[in-house]
Amino acid sequence: MGNMFSLKGKIALITGASYGIGFAIAKAYANAGATIVFNDIKQELVDKGLAAYEAEGIKAHGYVCDVTDEEAVNAFIAKVEKEIGVIDILVNNAGIIKRIPMCEMSAKDFRQVVDVDLNAPFIVSKAVIPSMIKKGGGKIINICSMMSELGRETVSAYAAAKGGLKMLTRNIASEYGEYNIQCNGIGPGYIATPQTAPLRERQADGSRHPFDSFIIAKTPAARWGTPDDLAGPAVFLASEASNFVNGHILYVDGGILAYIGKQP
Ligand code: NAP
Ligand code: GCO
């Protein structure tokens, strides 16, 4: 039996992958043999990302592109197809969060979160699907969240977007499965990245942030995840090992969704 997790010869686009979860997934794909393409919103972040990949011995291709801008995305994908080749694996990773109580949140802020976290995966997916069909198949992996299943104070827009992304995942699987396209989601638990840094900040007296302690108590693994915890599941969903897995959300959460919580 060959290595069914190999990504040799595949071209993978991971959006917003200069650092954080996207970077860890891209690193794992490169180690499995794929050619890495990533984008970020600013040139300085792309440059920072390129240097970080180089430090890992990876020759990545970095581009500036705002994933919410349909015209820019179409031009970006056309450029990648011309310069590197047809994208075999797309990871819709770029995302933002705004933690604001719902009744204090402006519609503009709400729309911005939905734009990056839900509309953009729609825009980028529809830009890559036609060439995947022509090539005979492809893999799309949407980075969902605990908030695809759960709510909490201050994250109404994020939860609405990530819940929507779960259903977009199932719909892409439904609509394009017959073309050998598998679209699945990864639902990370609480992962230590810049996005969650404010939730882990030490208090003035040096003690843990209350949310930090709350997450550790709520997670059977009793720790925050690291971006590298997502590497194995991401490789699985990009490889031929998952060729009959479609429309599934794989939660990688140290057990949070299985757990009722510690008794007081
Ligand atoms: P992060 O550290 O904030 O990284 C997100 C990346 O996306 C950044 O490079 C960011 O660039 C980029 N980005 C944002 N808006 C963009 C746009 N319009 N166009 C292109 N790139 C854009 O986040 P992360 O924690 O690694 O999260 C990655 C994904 O996982 C997100 O979708 C997030 O919602 C999801 N997630 C995270 C966690 C967690 O606990 N960390 C858990 C579940 C799901 P800038 O730096 O310029 O903003
Ligand atoms: C929050 C968090 C999240 C996580 C993640 C959980 O404020 O609750 O930032 O929502 O980043 O998406 O899976």
Side-chain angles (χ1 to χ4, degrees), residues 185-253:
I186 289 179
Y190 278 79
I191 312 294
T193 69
Q195 193 204 70
T196 52
L199 306 175
R200 282 174 286 106
E201 254 168 26
R202 288 276 164 180
Q203 302 298 88
D205 64 0
S207 63
R208 280 183 185 282
H209 191 296
F211 196 87
D212 184 355
S213 310
F214 164 68
I215 286 303
I216 290 170
K218 191 80 188 86
T219 308
R223 65 170 175 89
W224 284 69
T226 68
D228 288 336
D229 283 324
L230 302 166
V235 169
F236 166 63
L237 291 178
S239 71
E240 65 180 46
S242 60
N243 278 355
F244 203 54
V245 180
N246 214 352
H248 184 76
I249 311 297
L250 176 50
Y251 289 101
V252 184
D253 64 354

Side-chain angles (χ1 to χ4, degrees), residues 22-39:
F23 180 77
I25 290 176
K27 208 171 52 170
Y29 285 179
N31 291 335
T35 298
I36 303 305
V37 183
F38 73 99
N39 71 296

Side-chain angles (χ1 to χ4, degrees), residues 13-18 36-50 53 60-80 83-84 94 124:
L13 164 62
I14 303 99
T15 66
S18 299
I36 303 305
V37 183
F38 73 99
N39 71 296
D40 220 310
I41 209 166
K42 295 181 219 110
Q43 185 64 50
E44 62 209 82
L45 278 173
V46 171
D47 292 343
K48 214 173 133 194
L50 285 171
Y53 285 107
H61 304 266
Y63 295 82
V64 175
C65 178
D66 178 341
V67 287
T68 64
D69 179 341
E70 187 170 16
E71 248 177 68
V73 167
N74 290 340
F76 164 50
I77 299 300
K79 197 166 181 213
V80 171
E83 291 179 358
I84 303 165
V124 185

Side-chain angles (χ1 to χ4, degrees), residues 97 99 144-147 152 155 158 188-190 195-196 199 211:
I97 191 165
R99 298 182 186 96
C144 297
S145 167
M146 293 289 89
M147 271 61 214
R152 86 169 186 87
V155 297
Y158 187 79
Y190 278 79
Q195 193 204 70
T196 52
L199 306 175
F211 196 87

Side-chain angles (χ1 to χ4, degrees), residues 124-134 140 172 176 179 181:
V124 185
S125 299
K126 84 189 188 63
V128 302
I129 287 171
S131 295
M132 284 181 172
I133 292 175
K134 275 193 210 129
I140 299 177
I172 293 173
Y176 297 103
Y179 299 102
I181 290 175

